[in-house]
């Protein structure tokens, strides 16, 4: 399958759900599911690279995920750090530009430094823009953007009447990225879970009951084909 045979979305966002259920189905501990989730992510990123998807954004850890048991949170943080350490060379070779969205500064100083170094190292790359949402919440992102704009207005640097969609977007973590065209959510739940609330205004949704670790490149290509068949009207009339 080549990109010419598919209508490729510019920006795909993925809610990688079901690692725990995948593990339970195999009588394994939850953390085994997260490890398997890393393998799935590596394969899906390769598809995005091969098909020249402009931007891929994945939900790795939400502002609500801190409610999980300490041991699981610690495991996930360790896994993110390990993933970065192991994969950064190959991502760089693949021309991937890595970016983190969310309250990265509130992660451990070591993980935050590692994330910022990875961004710095890949910032000149021109391939897939790969965004990892960590300590991310869509409502929190909008509040941070609103506070930043209010502060600029108070300093006289921003005219409140000039705030439009473009100005707000410049203040989001996703500034400079295209709007999300397609949201993929694995594992059967049909919700957005506070992910990219502004950016998904006209996104197409693709849900599957498959748990994230089992989402193969072939399944992902099926999702992309389905996207290509959608009639996107953006509030207008039918596209001919
Ligand atoms: C959802 O499964 C997954 C997460 C909480 C995110 C973690 C994602 C990974 C480890 C994949 C790799 C990501 C990176 C950035 C290396 P869940 O625990 O909510 O599953 P459940 O709903 O079945 O319990």
């Amino acid at each position: 399958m080549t990109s010419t045979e598919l209508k490729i979305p510019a920006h795909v966002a993925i809610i990688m759900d079901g690692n725990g259920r995948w593990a339970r189905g195999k009588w394994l501990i939850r953390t085994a599911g997260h490890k398997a989730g890393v393998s799935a992510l590596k394969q899906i990123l390769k598809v995005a690279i091969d098909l020249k998807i402009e931007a891929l954004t994945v939900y790795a850890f939400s502002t609500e995920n801190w409610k999980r048991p300490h041991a699981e949170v610690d495991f996930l943080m360790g896994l993110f750090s390990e993933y970065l350490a192991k994969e950064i060379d190959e991502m760089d070779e693949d021309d991937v530009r890595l970016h983190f969205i969310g309250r990265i500064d509130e992660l451990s100083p070591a993980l935050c430094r590692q994330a910022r170094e990875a961004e710095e190292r890949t910032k000149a790359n021109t391939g897939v823009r790969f965004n990892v949402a960590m300590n991310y919440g869509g409502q929190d992102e909008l509040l941070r953007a609103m506070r930043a704009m209010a502060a600029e207005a108070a300093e006289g640097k921003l005219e409140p009447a000039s705030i439009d969609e473009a100005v707000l977007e410049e203040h989001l973590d996703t500034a400079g990225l295209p709007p999300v065209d397609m949201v993929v959510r694995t594992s059967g739940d049909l919700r957005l879970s506070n992910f990219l609330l502004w950016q998904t205004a006209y996104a197409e949704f693709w849900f599957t009951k498959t748990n994230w670790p089992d989402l193969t490149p072939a399944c992902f290509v099926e999702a992309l084909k389905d996207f290509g068949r959608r009639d996107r009207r953006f509030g207008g009339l039918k596209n001919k």
Side-chain angles (χ1 to χ4, degrees):
M1 178 67 54
T2 64
S3 53
T4 50
E5 293 168 67
L6 281 172
K7 194 151 99 198
I8 299 292
H11 191 169
V12 178
I14 307 185
I15 302 175
M16 308 178 287
D17 198 12
N19 292 348
R21 277 163 277 182
W22 180 91
R24 198 167 57 227
K26 294 186 154 27
W27 298 92
L28 297 169
I29 50 171
R30 291 180 55 79
T31 49
H34 295 315
K35 271 193 179 175
V38 174
S39 307
L41 178 59
K42 285 192 219 169
Q43 294 188 56
I44 299 305
L45 177 60
K46 283 286 183 194
V47 177
I49 294 165
D50 288 347
L51 296 182
K52 299 189 173 30
I53 291 175
E54 186 179 336
L56 175 71
T57 302
V58 297
Y59 210 1
F61 194 89
S62 75
T63 44
E64 289 73 37
N65 284 153
W66 297 106
K67 294 179 200 156
R68 294 187 177 208
H70 263 305
E72 182 167 342
V73 170
D74 282 354
F75 181 86
L76 282 170
M77 295 299 155
L79 198 63
F80 298 149
S81 171
E82 192 185 316
Y83 171 73
L84 268 182
K86 279 196 186 151
E87 298 299 316
I88 188 66
D89 287 344
E90 195 168 331
M91 282 192 227
D92 200 14
E93 277 163 32
D94 285 336
D95 205 22
V96 170
R97 180 168 167 190
L98 192 56
H99 179 57
F100 292 87
I101 63 171
R103 291 175 172 262
I104 303 306
D105 297 344
E106 290 173 4
L107 299 173
S108 77
L111 183 55
C112 177
R113 197 176 330 108
Q114 206 182 357
R116 296 301 181 216
E117 281 170 8
E119 286 181 332
E120 189 59 26
R121 172 164 168 192
T122 59
K123 72 177 182 197
N125 289 349
T126 56
V128 176
R129 302 184 65 172
F130 179 42
N131 312 295
V132 181
M134 287 203 300
N135 195 17
Y136 174 89
Q139 291 180 336
D140 175 71
E141 178 192 34
L142 283 163
L143 282 173
R144 285 187 283 111
M146 287 176 205
R147 277 189 216 115
M149 290 189 295
E152 285 170 38
E155 287 171 28
K157 293 180 186 156
L158 180 66
E159 182 58 46
S162 74
I163 299 173
D164 58 8
E165 288 87 346
V167 172
L168 174 64
E169 281 166 10
E170 280 164 23
H171 289 80
L172 295 176
D173 297 350
T174 51
L177 292 169
V180 173
D181 289 312
M182 182 172 79
V183 176
V184 169
R185 181 169 187 147
T186 56
S187 199
D189 288 326
L190 310 179
R191 54 177 170 261
L192 197 48
S193 299
N194 202 12
F195 193 36
L196 301 170
L197 298 180
W198 173 276
Q199 300 86 339
T200 53
Y202 274 98
E204 298 294 324
F205 287 77
W206 191 85
F207 296 107
T208 175
K209 290 197 167 127
T210 303
N211 291 318
W212 172 250
D214 284 334
L215 192 92
T216 59
C219 293
F220 186 51
V221 169
E222 276 313 308
L224 296 172
K225 282 188 189 166
D226 192 24
F227 170 82
R229 291 190 287 266
R230 306 270 179 108
D231 177 29
R232 303 186 78 202
R233 296 186 296 281
F234 299 96
L237 298 180
K238 194 170 169 59
N239 283 319
K240 289 277 177 209

